[in-house]
Amino acid sequence: MSRLSKSPPSSSPRPRSSSSGSSQSVRETGHEPGWESTQAELTARFPFIRDCLPGQLLQLRIENWMAYTGPVEVNFLTGINLLAAPNGAGKSSLLCAMAFGLGYDVSHISRRGSRLRDFIKNGHSACSVSCVLAGRKAGEFVTTRRDLRLSGEQTVSTFYVNGRECGVEARMEFQRRLRLQVDNLICFMPQERVPEFATMRPEDLFTATLRAIDFDLHEAYVGLRDWEAKREETENLLIQGRADLSALDRAVEKLRLEHEELKRLQGCENRRILCEGKILEVRNNK
């Protein structure tokens, strides 16, 4: 993997990331992608790793992403991190990069376009976003990298976790394992999706809140809700089945009566034939 080259400094202001009153500037860097760093190197850079919750974002690196050329690196601290900059400085681009670098569809944040190629900086054929996160074990780091590359009319997207390429299922498992919820408006609500949040039903708000509190509890609730829906569906099928059975019983009873009537008529017909035969016999004897 080649090193990311340092781009010329831009005259436009860069957003600053701060946490608990201490600021760390967003800076351009020539470092290699985060997942190439060793655990020891990451521990030296983020000595507070043991104070972090699983899935906490520690670092974001982007190159040729939307308005950024870069490579640009953003380091985060524990506690609340604030990203402050004038309008048009690229704050939304960084939020898009966070979602993209964690394996999510950027439509969860931005409505810039439906094509992946729209997120590659104009004049370039590829871009990359890498993240460093706290793992589930104490002191553990998890690194991701996601690349976009133009190939003719196609845009190829590749996602890595700890240097290993991941498909869709592995990516979803990674998100679930670290309890990432960029797609949950209770946890992550970009400005463009505020109207969507305002129109959420109480049931949807409850489900999203439960998911934000505890993944396992949310899955248990969803399973219980699905079971309740299936129970109601089964009860409706049972009611319909009973109604169909009653209709069949009535049809059977009707057929039984018709069968008895047919037997009676058949008996009458047999007696008529017998009588006609006797009448004919009497006439012949005369």
Side-chain angles (χ1 to χ4, degrees):
M1 179 68 66
S2 61
R3 287 182 175 271
L4 302 179
S5 60
K6 183 175 180 180
S7 63
S10 172
S11 59
S12 61
R14 294 290 187 183
R16 292 188 305 166
S17 170
S18 64
S19 173
S20 303
S22 300
S23 65
Q24 290 191 338
S25 61
V26 177
R27 62 190 180 90
E28 296 180 350
T29 175
H31 293 161
E32 295 181 355
W35 54 261
E36 292 186 354
S37 302
T38 65
Q39 294 284 313
E41 291 171 339
L42 292 173
T43 301
R45 178 171 293 191
F46 304 103
F48 50 85
I49 179 62
R50 292 187 176 276
D51 298 327
C52 297
L53 295 174
Q56 181 172 333
L57 184 62
L58 302 174
Q59 185 182 87
L60 173 70
R61 289 175 179 171
I62 57 178
E63 182 180 15
N64 299 333
W65 174 262
M66 298 178 74
Y68 289 93
T69 301
V72 173
E73 178 183 291
V74 186
N75 292 314
F76 300 94
L77 300 175
T78 56
I80 298 176
N81 287 261
L82 301 177
L83 191 64
N87 290 339
K91 300 184 298 296
S92 297
S93 297
L94 290 178
L95 290 177
C96 286
M98 290 179 193
F100 186 79
L102 296 175
Y104 285 92
D105 183 350
V106 287
S107 64
H108 288 118
I109 298 178
S110 173
R111 300 295 187 264
R112 175 174 176 175
S114 58
R115 301 183 308 170
L116 287 175
R117 64 174 58 229
D118 294 333
F119 297 94
I120 301 176
K121 185 177 175 63
N122 291 335
H124 296 268
S125 60
C127 69
S128 65
V129 177
S130 60
C131 299
V132 178
L133 305 95
R136 297 196 65 177
K137 298 179 181 179
E140 178 189 27
F141 292 92
V142 176
T143 56
T144 71
R145 179 183 173 99
R146 194 169 183 184
D147 297 328
L148 282 182
R149 176 175 54 84
L150 298 181
S151 178
E153 295 298 321
Q154 303 295 323
T155 304
V156 180
S157 174
T158 312
F159 184 68
Y160 303 89
V161 175
N162 292 333
R164 178 175 298 178
E165 184 175 347
C166 296
V168 175
E169 292 185 2
R171 187 171 67 207
M172 294 176 63
E173 175 58 26
F174 152 76
Q175 294 166 351
R176 186 188 184 284
R177 182 167 53 86
L178 291 184
R179 303 296 196 256
L180 304 179
Q181 299 190 52
V182 171
D183 55 340
N184 187 347
L185 288 178
I186 296 295
C187 299
F188 197 91
M189 184 166 52
Q191 183 175 355
E192 292 186 19
R193 299 189 66 189
V194 171
E196 181 182 343
F197 175 80
T199 58
M200 290 179 68
R201 300 177 303 168
E203 180 183 354
D204 296 331
L205 285 171
F206 172 77
T207 303
T209 302
L210 193 62
R211 181 184 173 202
I213 295 173
D214 190 315
F215 249 62
D216 296 331
L217 189 60
H218 169 262
E219 289 192 350
Y221 168 75
V222 171
L224 183 62
R225 186 183 60 185
D226 292 344
W227 178 86
E228 178 65 18
K230 290 180 180 179
R231 184 188 66 82
E232 292 181 359
E233 180 182 358
T234 302
E235 286 185 350
N236 292 333
L237 290 174
L238 182 60
I239 292 173
Q240 183 62 43
R242 287 172 177 169
D244 293 342
L245 182 60
S246 297
L248 288 174
D249 287 341
R250 291 192 296 270
V252 169
E253 179 63 17
K254 181 180 179 181
L255 288 174
R256 186 185 66 80
L257 295 175
E258 291 178 351
H259 178 66
E260 290 182 354
E261 179 65 14
L262 183 61
K263 287 175 62 177
R264 187 185 68 80
L265 293 175
Q266 186 65 44
C268 293
E269 178 66 14
N270 292 337
R271 287 193 295 273
R272 182 187 68 79
I273 294 174
L274 181 60
C275 290
E276 288 180 350
K278 289 183 178 181
I279 292 173
L280 183 61
E281 182 181 354
V282 170
R283 288 177 178 176
N284 291 334
N285 290 334
K286 290 182 178 181

